Amino acid sequence: MTAVPQNNASAIELDGHDLPAYCPNPAMTSWSSHPRVFLEMSHGEAKCPYCGTQYRLKPGAVVHGH
């Protein structure tokens, strides 16, 4: 997982081994956390409904089914 500051226009890029995607992610500080929410990445992108952090899959990421 590549962490990017929340207020940046860029998204946090995830690889296949980072799934299932959730927010807050491990790189975020605990003092500013909100309830954990799992993100639907079926379209390759997702936005946290609590803090607005953008997540996307890295180009060429291999996603394994359950």
Side-chain angles (χ1 to χ4, degrees), residues 14-60:
L14 303 174
D15 206 349
H17 67 286
D18 295 320
L19 300 177
Y22 59 88
C23 191
N25 66 61
M28 293 178 165
T29 55
S30 62
W31 64 266
S32 65
S33 65
H34 51 69
R36 180 177 284 187
V37 59
F38 287 88
L39 305 168
E40 176 60 49
M41 298 293 292
S42 61
H43 296 288
E45 295 184 339
K47 183 177 181 179
C48 176
Y50 286 102
C51 66
T53 301
Q54 293 281 111
Y55 294 85
R56 76 171 156 240
L57 292 176
K58 289 180 182 178

